[in-house]
Amino acid sequence: MHYQAPLADIQFILNDVLHAPTQLLALPCFAEVDADLVQQVLDEAGKFVTHQVAPLQAVGDSVGCTFDGGKVTTPPGFKEAYQTFWQAGWPALACAPQDGGQGLPAVLEAVLFEMLSGANHGWTMAPGLLHGAYECIKHHGSEALKAEYLEKVATGEWLATMCLTEPHAGSDLGLVRTKAQPRSDGSYRVSGTKIFISGGEHDLTDNIVHLVLARLADAPAGPKGLSLFLAPKLLHEGTRNAVHCERIEEKMGLHGSPTCVMRFDEATAWMIGEPNRGLNAMFVMMNAARLHVGLQGIGLLEAAWQKADDYSKERRQMRAPKAQMSSAPDLISEHPAMRRILSTQRAWIDGGRVLAYRTAIELDLLKHHPDADRRDTAQRWCSLVTPVLKAAWTAQAFLGASECLQVFGGHGYVREWGIEQIVRDARVTMIYEGTNEIQAIDLLVRKVMPDAGLGLFTLLQTLGYDLDPQVAAHAAFLDQIAALRRVTERLAQAAPGDPQLLYWVADDYLRALTLCLMSWAWLQIGHATQGDASATHGSRWTEPASAVRHWVLPEFAMRLHIISARLDGGGA
C-alpha cells in the first residue's frame, strides 16, 4: 500500500480549475511552459516519487537515523535516493538558470514537494529547506558567498539547515544567546547551541550549509539585535568547521529525519545581509518553509486517505444499511460512517490543493508579472493565505489522518498497515516553522488588524466578482464574506480597549477564514466539473462536494459565534 502520485487529480486542479498553464504563459519568463510541458514534468516527478521515495517510507520509520560519535547515518536507501534526486535536477526545478536551476514555475516545485511529503515525509525533510536557503543567499548574501554556495544549494548538491531555536528559547527568537565575534578577515566566529535542527548532520551530502541566527557583542537586546550567518560544515579547503552534532532527538515520528542538537564552537561563519537585521533575511527562508509545510499537510492527508480508501474497498464487515438487504457482509466502503470519513478528508485535500497551488502561482506572479497592481494583489494573497494553509492543513493532516486510521479499526493501531506512522509523522507539522497558534496570531494581529481588514476584504471581494447571488452556493459564499466582515469590524473597534481580545479569538478567526476559502475553492471545483462527464464520473467530485456542504462549512457559524460571544463579554 505504497503512496501513489495522484497525477490525474493534480493535473485537473492545475489545468481545469486554476488554468495554471494559461496564467503562466502570460509571463515572458514562462513563455514555453505550456500544458504539455507541465504534464511531462509532473509525470516524471510522479514516477520518481512513487518508485524511488515511497518504498523507503517504512524502513525510514522502523530503522530510523543512527548517531555515533557525532556522525549520523540515515536509513538504508535514503542516501542513494537523495543522490539520484539532486543529480536528476529536482531540487533546482524553480531556481534561476544562471544559478544552476531550470527556471520553471514555483507551482511545479510545490506539487513535487506535496507528493514527496505524502510518499515519505521523513526523507523529504532533507531537501525541504533548500529553496528557502537558496532565496535567502540569493537575495541577501554577498557576491563572494553566492559564488561559493548559491549553485551548490540551488542544485541540492549541498543541503542546508535553518538554525534558530535554542534550549531556553522556543518561538521567542529575541531570547537567542548564540554569539558572533568579528575577525580581521571579514569572517566571524559563532558560538552557541541550537536545538531541533532538522538535518543538522547526516550522510546524504558531503557538505551542509548552516544558516544561523546569532548576536553581535554590541547588538541591541531582543529580535532587532539578531544577525544571520552562514556556517558550513566543511570550509573552503575541505577541513571540518567547528560545528558539532551532540545528539539526535528520540521523537514521536519522523524517524527518518535526524533532528539534531548542534554546537557551534567558534565556528567560522560569514554574515548574510546587514548587522542586526538577520530576521529580515531569515524570514525569506521561513515564509517559503511555511507554504511547504502547508503542502506537507496536504500530502500527508492524501497518503492517509489513499491507505484508508484502499482498505475500505477490501475489508468486508457486517451489512450496510440499504433498501435491499442481503446476508453477505458488505465492503466497509459502503457503510455511511466510513463514506463520511473518506469524503470529508477528500474534500479537505482537494480544497487545499486549489488554495496551495493558487498560492504558488501567485508567488510566480509576484516575482515576474509586469503590472505593479497585479503584483500587489499577489502579495496580498500570499501574505494572508500562507498562514491559513500552514495552520489549517497541518491540523487537518493530523486530525484527518487519525480519522483515516479509524477506517482500519484495530488494524490501524498496529504498525503493519502504515497508517499509524502517518498520524505520528503529521503531528510535528502543527508545531514547527511557527506553531499553528503563532500562525493565527500572525494572520489576525499582524495581517488583518493593521488596516481593519481592508486588505483581506479587498481580496475576498475579488473572489466573489463573478458569482451570481441567485445561485445558492454563490449566495452562501457571499454571505460568509459579509458575516466575516461584520465580525472583523467589531474586533477592530473593540481591540484597542482589550489588549488580549485578538489573542483569545485568533484561532477561531483563522478557522473561519479557512472555511470561507474552502467554500470558494469548492465553487471553483464545481464550476470546472459542471457538464464535464470525465471529471464528474461516478462520485469522485460529487461526494466530497456534498461533504463540504454538510460536514465542513457548518463549522463557520460556530467559529463566528465563539468570536461574537467573546466580543459580547463571554469567555475567561
Short mmCIF file of all heavy atoms in Angstrom, two decimals, residues 211-261:
data_model
loop_
_atom_site.label_atom_id
_atom_site.label_comp_id
_atom_site.label_asym_id
_atom_site.label_seq_id
_atom_site.Cartn_x
_atom_site.Cartn_y
_atom_site.Cartn_z
N LEU A 211 22.52 28.00 8.22
CA LEU A 211 22.17 29.41 8.35
C LEU A 211 21.77 29.64 9.81
O LEU A 211 20.79 29.06 10.29
CB LEU A 211 21.05 29.78 7.39
CG LEU A 211 21.37 29.57 5.91
CD1 LEU A 211 20.22 30.03 5.03
CD2 LEU A 211 22.66 30.27 5.51
N VAL A 212 22.54 30.49 10.51
CA VAL A 212 22.49 30.57 11.97
C VAL A 212 22.16 31.99 12.42
O VAL A 212 22.82 32.95 12.02
CB VAL A 212 23.86 30.15 12.58
CG1 VAL A 212 23.74 30.01 14.08
CG2 VAL A 212 24.38 28.87 11.94
N LEU A 213 21.16 32.11 13.29
CA LEU A 213 20.89 33.40 13.94
C LEU A 213 21.80 33.54 15.16
O LEU A 213 21.87 32.63 15.99
CB LEU A 213 19.43 33.48 14.39
CG LEU A 213 18.39 33.84 13.33
CD1 LEU A 213 17.00 33.87 13.97
CD2 LEU A 213 18.69 35.17 12.66
N ALA A 214 22.47 34.69 15.24
CA ALA A 214 23.38 34.94 16.36
C ALA A 214 23.39 36.44 16.65
O ALA A 214 22.83 37.24 15.90
CB ALA A 214 24.79 34.43 16.04
N ARG A 215 24.06 36.79 17.73
CA ARG A 215 24.03 38.17 18.21
C ARG A 215 25.45 38.72 18.31
O ARG A 215 26.34 38.09 18.90
CB ARG A 215 23.36 38.20 19.59
CG ARG A 215 22.94 39.56 20.07
CD ARG A 215 22.26 39.46 21.44
NE ARG A 215 21.05 38.67 21.41
CZ ARG A 215 19.86 39.13 21.01
NH1 ARG A 215 19.75 40.38 20.60
NH2 ARG A 215 18.80 38.34 21.03
N LEU A 216 25.66 39.90 17.71
CA LEU A 216 26.94 40.59 17.86
C LEU A 216 27.07 41.17 19.27
O LEU A 216 26.07 41.39 19.95
CB LEU A 216 27.06 41.70 16.83
CG LEU A 216 27.05 41.25 15.35
CD1 LEU A 216 26.92 42.46 14.43
CD2 LEU A 216 28.30 40.46 15.02
N ALA A 217 28.32 41.43 19.69
CA ALA A 217 28.56 41.88 21.06
C ALA A 217 27.86 43.20 21.37
O ALA A 217 27.40 43.42 22.50
CB ALA A 217 30.06 42.01 21.30
N ASP A 218 27.76 44.09 20.39
CA ASP A 218 27.16 45.41 20.62
C ASP A 218 25.72 45.49 20.13
O ASP A 218 25.17 46.57 19.98
CB ASP A 218 28.00 46.50 19.94
CG ASP A 218 28.11 46.27 18.43
OD1 ASP A 218 27.68 45.20 17.95
OD2 ASP A 218 28.64 47.16 17.73
N ALA A 219 25.11 44.35 19.90
CA ALA A 219 23.76 44.33 19.35
C ALA A 219 22.74 44.71 20.41
O ALA A 219 22.91 44.40 21.59
CB ALA A 219 23.44 42.96 18.79
N PRO A 220 21.67 45.38 20.02
CA PRO A 220 20.59 45.66 20.98
C PRO A 220 19.89 44.37 21.41
O PRO A 220 19.94 43.36 20.71
CB PRO A 220 19.65 46.57 20.20
CG PRO A 220 19.94 46.29 18.76
CD PRO A 220 21.38 45.92 18.69
N ALA A 221 19.23 44.42 22.54
CA ALA A 221 18.51 43.26 23.03
C ALA A 221 17.29 42.98 22.16
O ALA A 221 16.81 43.86 21.43
CB ALA A 221 18.08 43.48 24.48
N GLY A 222 16.79 41.75 22.25
CA GLY A 222 15.56 41.40 21.54
C GLY A 222 15.80 40.99 20.10
O GLY A 222 16.95 40.89 19.62
N PRO A 223 14.73 40.79 19.36
CA PRO A 223 14.85 40.29 17.99
C PRO A 223 15.53 41.27 17.04
O PRO A 223 16.08 40.85 16.02
CB PRO A 223 13.39 40.03 17.57
CG PRO A 223 12.56 40.85 18.49
CD PRO A 223 13.31 40.89 19.78
N LYS A 224 15.51 42.57 17.35
CA LYS A 224 16.15 43.54 16.47
C LYS A 224 17.67 43.53 16.60
O LYS A 224 18.34 44.27 15.87
CB LYS A 224 15.61 44.94 16.77
CG LYS A 224 14.13 45.09 16.42
CD LYS A 224 13.64 46.51 16.64
CE LYS A 224 12.17 46.65 16.26
NZ LYS A 224 11.66 48.02 16.46
N GLY A 225 18.19 42.71 17.50
CA GLY A 225 19.64 42.60 17.64
C GLY A 225 20.22 41.34 17.05
O GLY A 225 21.37 40.99 17.34
N LEU A 226 19.46 40.64 16.22
CA LEU A 226 19.93 39.38 15.64
C LEU A 226 20.50 39.58 14.25
O LEU A 226 19.96 40.35 13.45
CB LEU A 226 18.78 38.37 15.58
CG LEU A 226 18.24 37.90 16.93
CD1 LEU A 226 17.02 37.02 16.73
CD2 LEU A 226 19.32 37.16 17.71
N SER A 227 21.58 38.87 13.99
CA SER A 227 22.18 38.84 12.65
C SER A 227 22.17 37.40 12.15
O SER A 227 22.07 36.46 12.94
CB SER A 227 23.61 39.38 12.70
OG SER A 227 23.64 40.71 13.19
N LEU A 228 22.30 37.26 10.84
CA LEU A 228 22.26 35.93 10.23
C LEU A 228 23.63 35.59 9.66
O LEU A 228 24.27 36.44 9.01
CB LEU A 228 21.21 35.89 9.11
CG LEU A 228 21.00 34.55 8.43
CD1 LEU A 228 20.48 33.50 9.41
CD2 LEU A 228 20.04 34.69 7.25
N PHE A 229 24.05 34.34 9.88
CA PHE A 229 25.38 33.91 9.45
C PHE A 229 25.30 32.58 8.71
O PHE A 229 24.44 31.74 9.00
CB PHE A 229 26.31 33.78 10.66
CG PHE A 229 26.51 35.06 11.40
CD1 PHE A 229 25.63 35.42 12.43
CD2 PHE A 229 27.54 35.92 11.08
CE1 PHE A 229 25.79 36.61 13.10
CE2 PHE A 229 27.70 37.12 11.76
CZ PHE A 229 26.83 37.46 12.77
N LEU A 230 26.22 32.41 7.78
CA LEU A 230 26.37 31.14 7.07
C LEU A 230 27.59 30.44 7.62
O LEU A 230 28.72 30.97 7.53
CB LEU A 230 26.51 31.40 5.57
CG LEU A 230 26.54 30.19 4.64
CD1 LEU A 230 26.07 30.59 3.23
CD2 LEU A 230 27.92 29.55 4.55
N ALA A 231 27.39 29.26 8.19
CA ALA A 231 28.49 28.47 8.76
C ALA A 231 28.45 27.08 8.14
O ALA A 231 27.61 26.26 8.51
CB ALA A 231 28.36 28.38 10.28
N PRO A 232 29.33 26.78 7.20
CA PRO A 232 29.29 25.47 6.54
C PRO A 232 29.90 24.37 7.41
O PRO A 232 30.71 24.63 8.30
CB PRO A 232 30.15 25.68 5.29
CG PRO A 232 31.14 26.72 5.72
CD PRO A 232 30.40 27.63 6.66
N LYS A 233 29.48 23.15 7.17
CA LYS A 233 30.09 22.00 7.84
C LYS A 233 31.55 21.88 7.45
O LYS A 233 32.43 21.66 8.30
CB LYS A 233 29.32 20.73 7.46
CG LYS A 233 29.94 19.44 7.96
CD LYS A 233 29.12 18.25 7.48
CE LYS A 233 29.78 16.93 7.85
NZ LYS A 233 28.95 15.76 7.42
N LEU A 234 31.84 22.05 6.16
CA LEU A 234 33.21 22.00 5.64
C LEU A 234 33.60 23.36 5.09
O LEU A 234 32.81 24.00 4.39
CB LEU A 234 33.34 20.95 4.53
CG LEU A 234 33.01 19.50 4.90
CD1 LEU A 234 33.16 18.59 3.69
CD2 LEU A 234 33.90 19.01 6.05
N LEU A 235 34.81 23.79 5.39
CA LEU A 235 35.32 25.07 4.89
C LEU A 235 35.88 24.91 3.48
O LEU A 235 35.90 23.82 2.92
CB LEU A 235 36.37 25.60 5.86
CG LEU A 235 35.84 25.88 7.28
CD1 LEU A 235 36.98 26.17 8.25
CD2 LEU A 235 34.85 27.04 7.25
N HIS A 236 36.37 26.03 2.93
CA HIS A 236 36.80 26.05 1.52
C HIS A 236 37.76 24.93 1.19
O HIS A 236 37.62 24.25 0.17
CB HIS A 236 37.47 27.40 1.19
CG HIS A 236 36.67 28.59 1.60
ND1 HIS A 236 35.54 29.00 0.94
CD2 HIS A 236 36.85 29.48 2.60
CE1 HIS A 236 35.05 30.09 1.52
NE2 HIS A 236 35.84 30.40 2.53
N GLU A 237 38.74 24.72 2.04
CA GLU A 237 39.79 23.75 1.75
C GLU A 237 39.41 22.33 2.12
O GLU A 237 40.22 21.40 2.01
CB GLU A 237 41.08 24.15 2.48
CG GLU A 237 40.99 24.12 4.01
CD GLU A 237 40.41 25.38 4.62
OE1 GLU A 237 39.85 26.21 3.86
OE2 GLU A 237 40.52 25.53 5.84
N GLY A 238 38.16 22.13 2.57
CA GLY A 238 37.69 20.79 2.89
C GLY A 238 37.88 20.39 4.34
O GLY A 238 37.51 19.28 4.73
N THR A 239 38.45 21.29 5.17
CA THR A 239 38.62 20.98 6.58
C THR A 239 37.30 21.14 7.32
O THR A 239 36.43 21.92 6.92
CB THR A 239 39.68 21.89 7.22
OG1 THR A 239 39.27 23.26 7.06
CG2 THR A 239 41.03 21.69 6.57
N ARG A 240 37.14 20.41 8.41
CA ARG A 240 35.91 20.43 9.17
C ARG A 240 35.82 21.71 9.99
O ARG A 240 36.75 22.07 10.73
CB ARG A 240 35.85 19.20 10.09
CG ARG A 240 34.58 19.08 10.92
CD ARG A 240 33.38 18.76 10.07
NE ARG A 240 32.14 18.77 10.84
CZ ARG A 240 31.45 17.68 11.16
NH1 ARG A 240 31.88 16.49 10.77
NH2 ARG A 240 30.34 17.78 11.84
N ASN A 241 34.70 22.40 9.87
CA ASN A 241 34.44 23.58 10.68
C ASN A 241 34.11 23.15 12.11
O ASN A 241 33.79 21.98 12.37
CB ASN A 241 33.27 24.36 10.05
CG ASN A 241 33.24 25.82 10.47
OD1 ASN A 241 34.06 26.29 11.25
ND2 ASN A 241 32.28 26.56 9.93
N ALA A 242 34.14 24.10 13.03
CA ALA A 242 33.86 23.79 14.43
C ALA A 242 32.35 23.76 14.68
O ALA A 242 31.80 24.50 15.50
CB ALA A 242 34.54 24.82 15.33
N VAL A 243 31.69 22.89 13.93
CA VAL A 243 30.23 22.67 14.04
C VAL A 243 30.04 21.21 14.42
O VAL A 243 30.48 20.32 13.68
CB VAL A 243 29.52 22.98 12.72
CG1 VAL A 243 28.02 22.75 12.85
CG2 VAL A 243 29.81 24.42 12.26
N HIS A 244 29.40 20.96 15.55
CA HIS A 244 29.33 19.60 16.08
C HIS A 244 27.87 19.20 16.35
O HIS A 244 27.10 19.99 16.91
CB HIS A 244 30.12 19.50 17.39
CG HIS A 244 31.50 20.07 17.30
ND1 HIS A 244 32.55 19.40 16.71
CD2 HIS A 244 31.99 21.28 17.72
CE1 HIS A 244 33.64 20.15 16.78
NE2 HIS A 244 33.33 21.29 17.39
N CYS A 245 27.54 17.99 15.99
CA CYS A 245 26.25 17.41 16.35
C CYS A 245 26.43 16.66 17.67
O CYS A 245 27.21 15.70 17.74
CB CYS A 245 25.75 16.46 15.26
SG CYS A 245 24.18 15.65 15.66
N GLU A 246 25.75 17.10 18.71
CA GLU A 246 25.91 16.48 20.02
C GLU A 246 25.02 15.27 20.22
O GLU A 246 25.37 14.33 20.93
CB GLU A 246 25.63 17.51 21.11
CG GLU A 246 26.65 18.66 21.11
CD GLU A 246 26.58 19.49 22.37
OE1 GLU A 246 25.47 19.64 22.93
OE2 GLU A 246 27.63 19.96 22.82
N ARG A 247 23.85 15.28 19.58
CA ARG A 247 22.96 14.12 19.65
C ARG A 247 21.80 14.33 18.67
O ARG A 247 21.63 15.43 18.14
CB ARG A 247 22.41 13.91 21.06
CG ARG A 247 21.40 14.94 21.51
CD ARG A 247 20.76 14.56 22.85
NE ARG A 247 19.63 15.41 23.19
CZ ARG A 247 19.72 16.57 23.83
NH1 ARG A 247 20.91 17.02 24.20
NH2 ARG A 247 18.63 17.28 24.09
N ILE A 248 21.03 13.28 18.44
CA ILE A 248 19.78 13.41 17.71
C ILE A 248 18.64 13.06 18.66
O ILE A 248 18.80 12.23 19.56
CB ILE A 248 19.75 12.55 16.44
CG1 ILE A 248 19.93 11.06 16.76
CG2 ILE A 248 20.79 13.01 15.44
CD1 ILE A 248 19.78 10.16 15.54
N GLU A 249 17.50 13.70 18.45
CA GLU A 249 16.37 13.53 19.35
C GLU A 249 15.64 12.20 19.09
O GLU A 249 15.56 11.74 17.94
CB GLU A 249 15.38 14.69 19.19
CG GLU A 249 15.97 16.08 19.41
CD GLU A 249 16.36 16.35 20.86
OE1 GLU A 249 16.10 15.48 21.72
OE2 GLU A 249 16.91 17.43 21.14
N GLU A 250 15.12 11.62 20.16
CA GLU A 250 14.22 10.46 20.04
C GLU A 250 12.80 11.02 19.95
O GLU A 250 12.27 11.56 20.91
CB GLU A 250 14.37 9.56 21.26
CG GLU A 250 15.75 8.95 21.40
CD GLU A 250 16.07 7.95 20.30
OE1 GLU A 250 15.11 7.32 19.78
OE2 GLU A 250 17.25 7.81 19.94
N LYS A 251 12.19 10.87 18.79
CA LYS A 251 10.96 11.59 18.52
C LYS A 251 9.74 10.66 18.39
O LYS A 251 9.87 9.46 18.18
CB LYS A 251 11.10 12.40 17.22
CG LYS A 251 12.33 13.31 17.16
CD LYS A 251 12.28 14.24 15.96
CE LYS A 251 12.29 13.51 14.64
NZ LYS A 251 13.56 12.84 14.34
N MET A 252 8.57 11.28 18.47
CA MET A 252 7.30 10.59 18.28
C MET A 252 7.19 10.03 16.87
O MET A 252 6.65 8.95 16.64
CB MET A 252 6.17 11.58 18.55
CG MET A 252 4.77 11.12 18.21
SD MET A 252 3.60 12.45 18.62
CE MET A 252 2.08 11.74 17.96
N GLY A 253 7.68 10.77 15.89
CA GLY A 253 7.63 10.38 14.50
C GLY A 253 8.82 10.93 13.75
O GLY A 253 9.81 11.36 14.34
N LEU A 254 8.73 10.93 12.42
CA LEU A 254 9.82 11.43 11.56
C LEU A 254 11.16 10.78 11.93
O LEU A 254 12.19 11.46 12.01
CB LEU A 254 9.94 12.95 11.64
CG LEU A 254 8.91 13.77 10.85
CD1 LEU A 254 9.28 15.24 10.86
CD2 LEU A 254 8.76 13.28 9.43
N HIS A 255 11.15 9.48 12.12
CA HIS A 255 12.38 8.79 12.49
C HIS A 255 13.41 8.80 11.36
O HIS A 255 14.59 8.63 11.60
CB HIS A 255 12.07 7.35 12.88
CG HIS A 255 11.18 7.24 14.07
ND1 HIS A 255 10.37 6.15 14.31
CD2 HIS A 255 10.94 8.11 15.11
CE1 HIS A 255 9.68 6.35 15.42
NE2 HIS A 255 10.02 7.52 15.92
N GLY A 256 12.95 9.01 10.14
CA GLY A 256 13.88 9.04 9.01
C GLY A 256 14.60 10.36 8.85
O GLY A 256 15.46 10.51 7.98
N SER A 257 14.24 11.35 9.67
CA SER A 257 14.87 12.67 9.60
C SER A 257 15.60 12.94 10.90
O SER A 257 14.99 12.93 11.98
CB SER A 257 13.81 13.76 9.37
OG SER A 257 14.37 15.05 9.49
N PRO A 258 16.92 13.20 10.86
CA PRO A 258 17.66 13.46 12.09
C PRO A 258 17.37 14.87 12.62
O PRO A 258 17.61 15.86 11.93
CB PRO A 258 19.12 13.32 11.67
CG PRO A 258 19.12 13.66 10.21
CD PRO A 258 17.79 13.22 9.67
N THR A 259 16.84 14.96 13.82
CA THR A 259 16.60 16.24 14.48
C THR A 259 17.72 16.43 15.49
O THR A 259 17.81 15.70 16.48
CB THR A 259 15.23 16.26 15.17
OG1 THR A 259 14.22 15.99 14.20
CG2 THR A 259 14.96 17.60 15.82
N CYS A 260 18.58 17.39 15.24
CA CYS A 260 19.90 17.44 15.89
C CYS A 260 20.02 18.57 16.91
O CYS A 260 19.40 19.64 16.77
CB CYS A 260 20.99 17.63 14.85
SG CYS A 260 20.99 16.36 13.56
N VAL A 261 20.83 18.32 17.92
CA VAL A 261 21.36 19.37 18.79
C VAL A 261 22.73 19.75 18.24
O VAL A 261 23.62 18.91 18.15
CB VAL A 261 21.49 18.88 20.25
CG1 VAL A 261 22.14 19.97 21.12
CG2 VAL A 261 20.14 18.48 20.80
#
